Amino acid sequence: MEGIGFEDLLPMMANRLGGEGLIKELCNGFELLVDKEKGVITLESLRQNAALLGLQDLKEDELVSMMREGDLDGDGALSQMDFCVLMFRLSPQLMEHSWFWLQEALHPPQFNNTNSPI
């Protein structure tokens, strides 16, 4: 039986934690990988800290590819926003659900109780 892949992990976390909890966990993941002096994830900090997120089996070309794919502004590093966007992009199922979370955040459900005497 095959293990759970990364693309399956984020949707499971999202279901368990909700949208806000997932974003908090992604921010925690960013903090584990970040170059503390530069405040961004560099290729070197990713190499050094990948095992903290269970990514120790990634090959050098996979790390380089991850950096290249996530580097939205082309500065050679991943900002917190770059990292979060990359994590969503690497999980197609999560992308499908992100629209729901966006709508929920923009239009929270109202607690209207039609039986209330007030």
Side-chain angles (χ1 to χ4, degrees):
M1 186 167 145
E2 243 180 80
I4 294 174
F6 175 80
E7 63 278 353
D8 301 318
L9 183 60
L10 278 180
M12 286 175 25
M13 287 175 60
N15 287 335
R16 194 182 92 223
L17 302 172
E20 189 174 317
L22 177 63
I23 296 300
K24 183 177 178 182
E25 286 303 310
L26 287 175
C27 290
N28 289 340
F30 175 80
E31 290 301 320
L32 290 174
L33 298 173
V34 73
D35 178 312
K36 304 299 184 211
E37 291 178 15
K38 296 180 181 177
V40 293
I41 297 172
T42 63
L43 182 56
E44 186 59 31
S45 71
L46 182 59
R47 277 187 203 115
Q48 291 175 353
N49 301 313
L52 295 173
L53 291 180
L55 303 174
Q56 65 273 7
D57 295 333
L58 289 179
K59 297 178 179 84
E60 178 69 13
D61 62 329
E62 293 171 313
L63 294 173
V64 170
S65 178
M66 185 181 208
M67 289 294 296
R68 189 175 298 129
E69 186 174 338
D71 184 10
L72 299 176
D73 58 8
D75 66 355
L78 301 182
S79 66
Q80 189 172 41
M81 180 61 73
D82 290 342
F83 176 75
C84 289
V85 169
L86 176 63
M87 295 300 101
F88 273 81
R89 287 176 54 207
L90 292 176
S91 181
Q93 183 183 2
L94 192 57
M95 286 298 290
E96 293 171 11
H97 297 294
S98 62
W99 178 250
F100 169 77
W101 294 322
L102 176 62
Q103 290 302 316
E104 188 177 82
L106 295 175
H107 307 287
Q110 299 299 315
F111 294 102
N112 294 335
N113 183 347
T114 56
N115 297 328
S116 174
I118 299 176

